[in-house]
């Protein structure tokens, strides 16, 4: 098998029925085949449709559609079936399977949880990974990456801790902020793996020794492990641990940390010319997402102090949960005693409705009067406002992590140089950064004059014929002027890894119809339909309609569905 | 107080940190870091001040949910507290925090009342069940409501929430930083709440200016109140030889807060290093698109105007005191001269602050722009003080011009052409409005009820009453749609869908009417320096229209009158200012509901800033059913 053999066809398989990314690329060269897997994940806590139907209010069910909900398969089972399918698809006659290149775009649950939830398959010796491609942000020996990851790691801990605190304090279901926070923390993990005891199956450590690497990793793992449910609970594999597990699988010599602006020529490693568009090196770009307009993100907010504050609040809340529930069952030993701002003489403990832990005759009349005013109207109380800070941080963190997405563009052989674009979940800053650099190109044979020819991002985007829709078609992960509008090949098709019914019941959508995540975002989707002539495959799409749209044009890639609709394949002939 | 044989005091004196606790720990500023705020004692018809403190305006509730505490409320009437002008400044006593928040917020409220010539009211709270606004008499204040580096005015809860947080740096010289101990943050947040009570639609993001205005105005108030802090001001003037153009305690906002966040300086700074004396940059505003940066330009412009006025007012004193321009000459300022200069500085700041606050009554009810703020300042000031010996108005115009803050559609920047134009037609209040209660009611609660009655009366008179000939002129003045038969032909197709009340099929004579909101009906009585008195009635009229991000969908939805869900709300309306002596309409400051140019601008703004049409990250629910039913439900996150 060699890359120099002519390429006959490229097949992109999108796994369906998940709110999450899992794409298998196969490049056929005669009898041989090269394979690439891009991500394997599903959103956390997606239950099967029937369970959801029992829990959701009637108007939500009605708005989303009963049949649509019923069709949803539990995330854990579905992703397991997908992992099985990947293995059996790639399995040779010797019973062994090989992924030539594994691409992990970014450390979000809906992109990597499959590796943890079907850990036995990925860690099995019957499956080998040739190369692992990750973004430079995952490189533990890169100074910028270390500080960026430490920062994001701190934020993540604070958010996960806050979500835990809120959950155990029973604030769930009482505030929109909390619902939003919990649904966001679903991107972050930790991943609960049933039936795995902590002792029996320790968290993965890097198997190889690399200078500088150990420190950074230990820190990340310590951060992550501090959040564990304790020895009694089920083993939770954090997303960071999942990344480590994959690095171990590939082996250090086989990891490629991709740099923006890099062009990877066709080789034995991978037979398609690959442009690395993102993530940007500039931290400003990474931090550029659409800022939340909330009251809580107001002028005074800043990141480090925000992280510290959420962390301190969450610790304090966990401590209170311990007191309420007895023992350190909730927070574990990792929680240090949170301090109070005022000295003991000023302490006046307060629990809602109970004279604040003071005996009735100990409370002054003045305090009782102020307290009566406070408790007179439940709508005006502020007990859950602390969550808003955590929510704002969670939103920011979520966007920042999306912006660390590895963005790859693969060039198909042939005169047109058609491009397959996989942007991960890149948000605004990442998209905008693609134009910050030029992309070197080899001169055509015989042309000695233009050795240093450079391509601009416009040159690349205008050749895009396949677009993996960013972030399940949310509003802020497909740039308009600097993105979609530049994809002018006239022969664009798109794949959107989305199950609408699941998106619609996330966050506040759990309780109120029409308040879940807006995926797809209508304005984007309208434009995308125009640009593709309706040729979009979606994770929960209707195969008949999708097929019709593709067949309406004879320049469409061929469409194939699995018999059980587990996946859909687009085949580009070369 | 109960003992009637003693006369009731006039003033309540309360001590606060002049800036924030940090200034007490530095030798340079320790001498003057405690300021005493003087608040008028409660009048005979006002409720007594209760522990909390709780009065007619504010209700300080010191619950700290994160620490699980409900602190003891301070009793400002306790003899031990009264005898020493309030508790001693202390970071460690939550009761002092309550006292400081109360004192600074009340001082801010009083300066608005003084400039506006009437009571300050909070904006009403929307009651989803009753489907109407419930008046809010007391703003709630939570000095320790959050444990984070943040403080905000919650429109939803009608409350100010102040946070505290462990400091991240050594620069803040404290392990905990309390936003409730920062004069600037308290004044800033209180101003948000007052501004929301005056113009409830200003919290909606309709353009970069409208977003920035709330912030900038709150900063202006916080900044100019620095000059009411006598001791600090005098020390600053003494040290700098009367020169206020140096960055320092006076020109920086929220210094400890900024330091705690590792900014090595104040959170914001009014003296803009980018724009020095000789340099004019009339493209500055046009080239700045971020709301916060634009807000900073407005703050800098006002501060610049203040400095010019201060220099005008003190030019003679400087000559008398023989103070040269060189820094060396300025060092040994006579203390008497410093006192006089400080007085002039305080007066200048007070005048500029009053000019800014008075201008609030002269602003359109929706979608405010900086240029309109300039026109409002100039008009309001010209009305009250026709004679302008120190050229205040020119100082303001010049400061705005230098930053490229120019109003649209004015001929020149001469003060008279910047004034709002009188209405096109002669419109007057008529006898039906006799029942309007225009008296000055010192009791706040009573004034509040009467404002509501006046509002309803005004609404009936303007909108609902039987049709009159002048209705078309009124409709034009208000910039909204009243009824189907009044639609000018050029509006007819586009705006038909604004008409919400369908004609009664059983009663063919009934007209199809549009929903019009009348709010903020208020009277003002202001006295100028030469005894001139202004007696005005101010009414805000607004209307909403569905806005769509694409012009085609807009047309389809409106012309074909389709029931499509809008992408955003587009509002129009006018602020009507009546001269109550002549019973005539004096100004109609208008933003027409029919303006397609403005609609297109808002569309472009929202196109470029999707976060302002989206409720949160994944969720454009602001456009959803909740928002359709009740615009307030999604606007609460505005500030």
């Amino acid at each position: 098998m060699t890359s120099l053999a002519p390429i006959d066809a490229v097949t992109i398989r999108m796994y369906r029925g998940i709110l999450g990314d899992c794409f298998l690329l196969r490049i056929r060269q005669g009898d041989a085949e090269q394979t690439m897997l891009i991500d394997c994940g599903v959103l956390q806590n997606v239950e099967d449709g029937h369970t959801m139907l029992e829990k959701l209010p009637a108007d939500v069910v009605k708005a989303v559609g009963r049949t649509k909900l019923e069709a949803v398969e539990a995330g854990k089972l579905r992703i397991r079936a997908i992992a099985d399918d990947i293995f059996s698809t790639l399995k040779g006659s010797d019973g062994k399977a090989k992924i030539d290149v594994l691409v992990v775009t970014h450390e979000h649950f809906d992109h990597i949880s499959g590796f943890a939830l079907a850990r036995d398959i990925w860690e099995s010796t019957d499956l080998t990974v040739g190369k692992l491609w990750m973004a430079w942000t995952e490189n533990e020996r890169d100074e910028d990456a270390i500080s960026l990851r430490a920062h994001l790691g701190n934020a993540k801990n604070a958010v996960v801790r806050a979500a835990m605190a809120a959950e155990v304090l029973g604030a769930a279901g009482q505030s929109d902020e909390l619902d939003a926070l919990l649904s966001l923390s679903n991107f972050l993990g930790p991943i609960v793996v049933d039936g795995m005891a902590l002792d029996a199956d320790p968290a993965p450590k890097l198997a190889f020794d690399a200078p500088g690497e150990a420190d950074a990793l230990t820190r990340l793992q310590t951060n992550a492990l501090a959040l564990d449910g304790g020895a009694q609970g089920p083993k939770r594999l954090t997303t960071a641990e999942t990344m480590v597990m994959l690095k171990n699988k590939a082996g250090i010599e086989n990891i490629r940390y991709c740099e923006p602006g890099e062009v990877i020529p066709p080789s034995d490693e991978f037979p398609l010319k690959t442009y690395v568009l993102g993530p940007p090196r500039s931290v400003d770009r990474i931090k550029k997402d659409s800022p939340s307009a909330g009251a809580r993100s107001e002028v005074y907010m800043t990141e480090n102090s925000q992280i510290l504050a959420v962390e301190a609040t969450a610790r304090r809340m966990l401590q209170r949960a311990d007191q309420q529930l007895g023992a350190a069952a909730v927070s574990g030993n990792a929680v240090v005693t949170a301090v109070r701002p005022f000295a003991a003489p000023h302490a006046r403990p307060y629990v809602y409705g109970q004279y604040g832990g003071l005996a009735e005759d100990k409370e002054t009349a003045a305090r009782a009067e102020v307290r009566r005013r406070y408790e007179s109207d439940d709508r005006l109380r502020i007990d859950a406002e602390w969550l808003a800070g955590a929510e704002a941080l969670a939103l920011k963190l979520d966007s920042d992590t999306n912006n660390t997405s590895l963005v790859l563009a693969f060039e198909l052989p042939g005169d047109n140089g058609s491009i397959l674009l996989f942007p991960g979940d890149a948000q605004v800053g990442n998209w905008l950064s693609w134009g910050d650099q030029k992309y070197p190109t080899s001169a055509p044979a015989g042309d000695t004059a233009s050795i240093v020819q450079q391509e601009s991002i416009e040159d690349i985007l205008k050749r895009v014929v396949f677009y993996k829709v960013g972030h399940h078609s949310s509003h802020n992960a497909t740039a308009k002027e600097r993105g979609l509008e530049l994809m002018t090949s006239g022969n664009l098709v798109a794949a959107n890894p989305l199950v609408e019914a699941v998106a619609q019941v996330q966050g506040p959508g759990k309780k109120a119809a029409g308040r879940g995540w807006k995926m797809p975002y209508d304005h984007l989707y309208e434009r995308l339909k125009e640009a593709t002539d309706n040729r979009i495959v979606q994770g929960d799409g209707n195969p008949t309609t999708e097929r019709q749209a593709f067949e309406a044009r004879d320049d469409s890639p061929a469409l194939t569905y699995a018999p059980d609709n587990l996946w859909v394949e687009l085949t580009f002939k070369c | 107080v109960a003992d009637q044989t003693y006369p009731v005091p006039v003033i309540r004196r309360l001590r606060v940190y002049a800036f924030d606790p940090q200034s007490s720990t530095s030798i340079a500023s320790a001498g003057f870091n405690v300021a005493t705020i003087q608040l008028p004692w409660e009048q005979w018809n006002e409720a007594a001040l209760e522990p909390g403190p709780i009065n007619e305006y504010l209700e300080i509730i010191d619950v700290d949910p994160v620490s699980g505490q409900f602190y003891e409320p301070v009793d400002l009437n306790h003899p031990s507290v009264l005898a020493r002008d309030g508790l001693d400044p202390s970071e460690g006593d939550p009761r002092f925090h309550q006292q400081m928040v109360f004192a600074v917020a009340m001082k801010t409220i009083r300066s608005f009342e003084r400039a506006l010539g009437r009571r300050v009211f909070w904006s009403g709270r929307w009651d989803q069940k009753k489907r109407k606004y419930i008046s809010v008499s007391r703003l709630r204040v939570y000095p320790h409501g959050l444990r984070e580096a943040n403080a905000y005015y919650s429109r939803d809860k009608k409350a100010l929430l102040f946070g505290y947080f462990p400091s991240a740096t050594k620069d803040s010289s404290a392990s905990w930083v309390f936003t409730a101990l920062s004069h600037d943050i308290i004044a800033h947040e209180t101003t948000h709440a007052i501004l929301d009570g005056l113009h409830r639609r200003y919290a909606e993001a309709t353009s970069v200016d409208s977003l920035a205005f709330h912030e900038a105005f709150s900063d202006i108030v916080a900044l100019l109140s620095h000059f009411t802090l006598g001791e600090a001001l005098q020390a600053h003037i003494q040290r700098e030889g009367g020169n206020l153009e140096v960055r320092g305690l006076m020109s920086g906002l929220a210094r400890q807060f900024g330091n705690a966040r590792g900014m090595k300086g104040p959170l914001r700074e009014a003296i803009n290093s980018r724009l020095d004396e000789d340099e004019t940059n009339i493209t500055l505003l046009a080239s700045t698109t971020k709301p916060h940066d634009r807000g900073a330009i407005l703050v800098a412009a006002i501060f610049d105007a203040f400095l010019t006025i201060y220099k005008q007012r003190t030019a003679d004193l400087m000559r008398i005191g023989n103070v040269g321009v060189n820094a060396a000459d300025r060092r040994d300022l006579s203390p008497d001269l410093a006192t006089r200069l400080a007085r002039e500085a305080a007066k200048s700041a007070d005048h500029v602050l009053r000019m800014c606050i008075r201008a609030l009554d002269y602003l359109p009810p929706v979608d405010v722009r900086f240029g309109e703020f300039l026109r409002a300042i100039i008009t309001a000031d010209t009305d009250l003080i026709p004679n302008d010996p120190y050229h205040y108005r020119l100082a303001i115009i010049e400061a705005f011009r230098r930053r490229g803050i120019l109003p649209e559609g004015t001929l020149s920047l001469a003060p008279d052409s910047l004034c709002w134009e009188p209405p096109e037609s002669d419109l007057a209040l008529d006898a039906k409005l006799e029942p309007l209660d225009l008296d000055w009611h010192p009791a706040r609660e009573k004034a509040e009820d009467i404002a509501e009655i006046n509002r309803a009366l005004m609404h009936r008179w303007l909108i609902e009453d039987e049709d009159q000939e002048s209705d078309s002129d009124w409709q034009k003045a208000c910039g909204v749609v009243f009824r189907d038969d009044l639609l000018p032909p050029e509006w007819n197709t586009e705006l038909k869908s604004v008409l919400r009340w369908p004609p009664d099929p059983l009663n063919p004579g009934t007209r199809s009417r549009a929903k019009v909101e009348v709010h903020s009906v208020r009277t003002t009585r202001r006295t100028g320096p030469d005894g001139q008195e202004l007696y005005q009635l101010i009414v805000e009229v607004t209307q909403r229209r569905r806005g769509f991000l694409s012009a085609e969908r807009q047309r389809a939805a409106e012309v074909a009158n389709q029931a499509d869900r809008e992408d955003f709300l587009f509002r129009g309306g006018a602020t009507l200012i009546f001269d109550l002596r002549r019973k005539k309409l004096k100004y109609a400051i208008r933003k027409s509901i029919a303006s397609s140019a403005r609609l297109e601008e808002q569309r472009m703004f929202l196109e470029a800033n999707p976060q302002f049409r989206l409720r949160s990250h994944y969720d454009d629910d602001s456009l959803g059913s909740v928002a359709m039913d009740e615009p307030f439900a999604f606007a609460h996150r505005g500030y």
Side-chain angles (χ1 to χ4, degrees), chain A residues 361-403:
Chain A
D361 56 346
K362 289 273 169 59
E363 190 176 33
T364 62
R367 182 183 186 262
E369 170 57 22
V370 179
R371 192 172 54 76
R372 185 195 62 74
R373 284 174 183 261
Y374 178 63
E375 292 172 354
S376 66
D377 189 341
D378 279 351
R379 286 167 305 178
L380 300 184
R381 283 168 48 203
I382 56 157
D383 306 52
E385 284 288 303
W386 65 274
L387 278 169
E391 188 205 356
L393 180 62
L395 284 168
K396 191 77 189 74
L397 170 66
D398 186 56
S399 301
D400 288 353
T401 308
N402 279 338
N403 264 344

Side-chain angles (χ1 to χ4, degrees), chain B residues 231-468:
Chain B
E231 297 93 334
L233 176 60
Q234 186 152 355
H236 183 84
I237 282 182
Q238 186 84 58
R239 193 173 53 232
E240 304 295 343
N243 180 9
L244 289 179
E245 286 170 12
V246 252
R247 290 183 164 206
L249 278 175
M250 285 292 153
S251 64
L253 279 172
R255 187 167 302 268
Q256 183 189 30
F257 189 91
N259 279 331
R261 292 179 15 174
M263 295 171 69
K264 301 201 179 297
L267 179 65
R268 288 193 280 275
E269 172 62 56
I271 295 176
N272 194 342
S273 55
R274 281 188 298 164
L275 188 80
D276 48 50
E277 191 78 34
D278 312 317
E279 190 192 354
T280 57
N281 185 356
I282 54 164
T283 58
L284 184 59
L285 189 74
S287 60
T288 309
T289 51
K290 282 187 185 157
H292 279 298
D293 297 346
R294 281 178 80 92
I297 295 175
L298 188 62
V299 177
I302 295 291
F303 199 75
D304 185 4
F306 155 72
L307 291 175
T308 310
I309 290 167
Y310 166 74
K311 276 190 276 182
Q312 300 251 31
R313 292 188 70 103
T314 54
D316 54 346
L317 286 171
M318 295 299 209
R319 282 191 299 270
I320 294 167
N322 207 9
V323 181
V325 278
N326 298 325
D329 299 344
R330 292 180 159 230
R331 236 169 248 150
D332 304 312
L333 213 56
S334 125
D336 288 342
L337 185 55
T339 310
R340 282 287 293 114
L341 290 173
R343 200 182 302 161
E344 290 302 321
K347 197 177 259 182
S348 310
D350 183 49
H351 288 168
V352 173
L353 181 59
R354 284 187 191 218
M355 286 172 91
C356 292
I357 293 176
R358 279 197 303 258
L360 293 176
D361 276 349
Y362 284 71
L363 286 174
V366 294
D367 194 25
V368 67
R369 307 296 169 90
F370 290 178
E372 289 161 354
F373 184 49
L374 174 61
R375 297 192 68 179
I377 295 177
I378 302 303
T379 316
D381 198 61
T382 310
D383 275 3
L384 187 64
I385 308 161
N387 187 20
D388 183 17
Y390 286 109
H391 304 297
Y392 282 18
R393 298 199 272 275
L394 283 176
I396 300 247
I397 294 169
E398 177 59 16
F400 275 58
R401 193 189 59 78
R402 293 199 331 158
R403 290 167 179 79
I405 309 178
L406 305 169
E408 286 166 33
T410 45
L411 288 174
S412 81
L413 287 177
D416 56 327
S417 52
L418 281 176
C419 283
W420 295 115
E421 302 88 6
E424 291 97 333
S425 28
D426 200 18
L427 292 165
L429 300 169
D430 66 22
K432 283 200 185 125
L433 282 173
E434 285 300 317
L436 275 183
D437 186 341
L438 304 174
D439 288 341
W440 158 258
H441 291 277
R444 191 158 177 275
E445 220 163 302
K446 169 110 173 157
E448 203 169 85
D449 293 344
I450 285 170
E452 174 56 27
I453 294 168
N454 285 349
R455 195 198 62 76
L457 189 69
M458 195 55 160
H459 189 271
R460 205 173 321 127
W461 177 74
L462 200 58
I463 320 291
E464 297 168 38
D465 262 4
E466 70 257 41
D467 307 347
Q468 309 217 345

Side-chain angles (χ1 to χ4, degrees), chain A residues 163-423:
Chain A
M164 281 169 68
E167 212 168 2
V168 294
L169 282 171
Q174 284 174 24
S175 84
D176 285 357
E177 281 86 11
L178 177 63
D179 288 340
L181 174 65
L182 288 178
S183 71
L184 279 170
S185 69
N186 281 348
F187 283 113
L188 303 173
I191 303 166
V192 181
V193 183
D194 291 331
M196 283 195 191
L198 185 66
D199 295 340
D201 203 349
K205 295 253 191 309
L206 263 196
F208 40 83
D209 186 30
E213 193 135 3
D215 279 354
L217 268 177
T218 313
R219 191 171 62 240
L220 287 175
Q221 283 170 353
T222 315
N223 287 346
L225 284 170
L227 302 171
D228 267 344
Q232 312 302 320
K235 166 65 190 123
R236 294 175 166 206
L237 200 56
T238 66
T239 50
E241 287 162 2
T242 309
M243 300 294 261
V244 171
M245 178 194 111
L246 293 173
K247 287 180 181 178
N248 284 343
K249 176 77 189 178
I252 191 170
E253 66 283 6
N254 294 319
I255 305 176
R256 178 193 277 275
Y257 294 108
C258 304
E259 291 288 337
E262 193 180 358
V263 177
I264 306 168
S267 70
D268 284 344
E269 185 174 346
F270 188 65
L272 297 180
K273 178 178 172 186
T274 305
Y275 297 87
V276 182
L277 307 185
R281 273 281 170 182
S282 146
V283 175
D284 284 348
R285 288 289 202 196
I286 287 181
K287 289 185 176 172
K288 162 106 182 132
D289 38 72
S290 35
S292 111
R296 289 89 193 192
S297 64
E298 217 214 3
V299 280
Y300 305 129
M301 274 292 198
T302 189
E303 289 190 34
N304 272 321
S305 56
Q306 193 182 355
I307 293 169
L308 273 174
V310 171
E311 178 74 28
T313 302
R315 281 174 186 275
R316 172 73 202 155
M317 284 306 189
L318 280 173
Q319 194 189 32
R320 280 179 60 192
D322 278 354
Q323 286 160 1
Q324 274 176 29
L325 305 174
V330 181
S331 52
N333 301 324
V335 178
V336 289
T337 308
V339 279
R340 279 197 301 263
F342 298 108
H346 295 294
R348 296 288 184 283
Y350 172 66
V351 182
Y352 174 62
Q354 297 173 21
Y355 304 105
L358 296 174
E360 191 176 351
D361 56 346
K362 289 273 169 59
E363 190 176 33
T364 62
R367 182 183 186 262
E369 170 57 22
V370 179
R371 192 172 54 76
R372 185 195 62 74
R373 284 174 183 261
Y374 178 63
E375 292 172 354
S376 66
D377 189 341
D378 279 351
R379 286 167 305 178
L380 300 184
R381 283 168 48 203
I382 56 157
D383 306 52
E385 284 288 303
W386 65 274
L387 278 169
E391 188 205 356
L393 180 62
L395 284 168
K396 191 77 189 74
L397 170 66
D398 186 56
S399 301
D400 288 353
T401 308
N402 279 338
N403 264 344
T404 64
S405 283
L406 175 60
V407 180
L408 298 178
F410 306 112
E411 188 181 271
L412 296 178
D415 297 340
N416 301 334
S418 299
I419 295 279
L420 315 173
L421 178 62
F422 287 86

Side-chain angles (χ1 to χ4, degrees), chain A residues 348 364 385 398 475 521, chain B residues 65 69 72 152 613 617-618:
Chain A
R348 296 288 184 283
T364 62
E385 284 288 303
D398 186 56
H475 76 275
Y521 178 58
Chain B
Q69 300 285 317
E72 204 62 53
Y152 56 86
R613 57 189 145 96
H617 200 65
Y618 295 103

Side-chain angles (χ1 to χ4, degrees), chain A residues 108 176-177 180 184 187 289-302 304-306 308-310 312-314 316-317 320 338-343 346-351 358 363-367 369-386 388-391 395 398-399 402 427 471 474-476 480-481 508 513-519 521-523 526, chain B residues 50-52 54 59-73 91-95 97 125-128 138 140 142 144-154 156-159 161 164-168 176 178-179 184-185 188-189 192 215 219 254 257 260-261 267-268 292 549 553 565 567 607 610-621 623-626 636-639:
Chain A
H108 257 172
D176 285 357
E177 281 86 11
L184 279 170
F187 283 113
D289 38 72
S290 35
S292 111
R296 289 89 193 192
S297 64
E298 217 214 3
V299 280
Y300 305 129
M301 274 292 198
T302 189
N304 272 321
S305 56
Q306 193 182 355
L308 273 174
V310 171
T313 302
R316 172 73 202 155
M317 284 306 189
R320 280 179 60 192
V339 279
R340 279 197 301 263
F342 298 108
H346 295 294
R348 296 288 184 283
Y350 172 66
V351 182
L358 296 174
E363 190 176 33
T364 62
R367 182 183 186 262
E369 170 57 22
V370 179
R371 192 172 54 76
R372 185 195 62 74
R373 284 174 183 261
Y374 178 63
E375 292 172 354
S376 66
D377 189 341
D378 279 351
R379 286 167 305 178
L380 300 184
R381 283 168 48 203
I382 56 157
D383 306 52
E385 284 288 303
W386 65 274
E391 188 205 356
L395 284 168
D398 186 56
S399 301
N402 279 338
Q427 290 192 197
H471 203 228
S474 79
H475 76 275
N476 53 3
K480 203 171 169 237
E481 286 83 12
R515 307 209 44 207
W517 296 343
K518 291 287 161 15
M519 292 174 176
Y521 178 58
D522 357 351
H523 299 299
E526 272 169 35
Chain B
E50 293 174 39
I54 294 167
E59 160 171 90
I60 318 292
I61 295 182
D62 205 358
V63 63
D64 178 351
V66 175
S67 300
Q69 300 285 317
F70 204 123
Y71 304 112
E72 204 62 53
E91 288 168 274
D93 187 341
R95 292 170 302 178
H97 298 205
R125 196 158 49 83
W126 178 255
D127 189 310
Q128 189 64 38
R138 291 182 182 88
R140 284 194 170 178
Y142 298 99
H144 305 102
L146 308 160
R147 197 182 272 206
E148 57 183 90
N150 202 2
Y152 56 86
Y153 162 56
S154 161
D156 187 30
K157 302 206 188 294
K158 296 296 164 209
L161 285 94
Y164 64 93
F165 57 102
S167 167
W176 290 94
F178 297 94
T179 57
D184 298 339
I185 295 179
H188 179 102
E189 298 306 335
H192 273 316
E215 290 301 328
D219 277 356
F257 189 91
R261 292 179 15 174
L267 179 65
R268 288 193 280 275
H292 279 298
L549 288 171
R553 284 180 58 222
R565 220 169 72 173
D567 296 331
E607 193 68 59
Q611 68 271 28
F612 297 121
R613 57 189 145 96
L614 305 178
R615 192 177 158 276
S616 67
H617 200 65
Y618 295 103
D619 166 9
D620 62 346
D621 198 61
L623 322 171
S625 54
V626 181
H636 79 274
R637 289 182 152 225
Y639 285 92

Side-chain angles (χ1 to χ4, degrees), chain B residues 220-237:
Chain B
I220 289 169
V221 172
L223 194 64
L224 291 176
S225 357
H226 284 174
F227 296 89
T228 61
L229 306 167
E231 297 93 334
L233 176 60
Q234 186 152 355
H236 183 84
I237 282 182

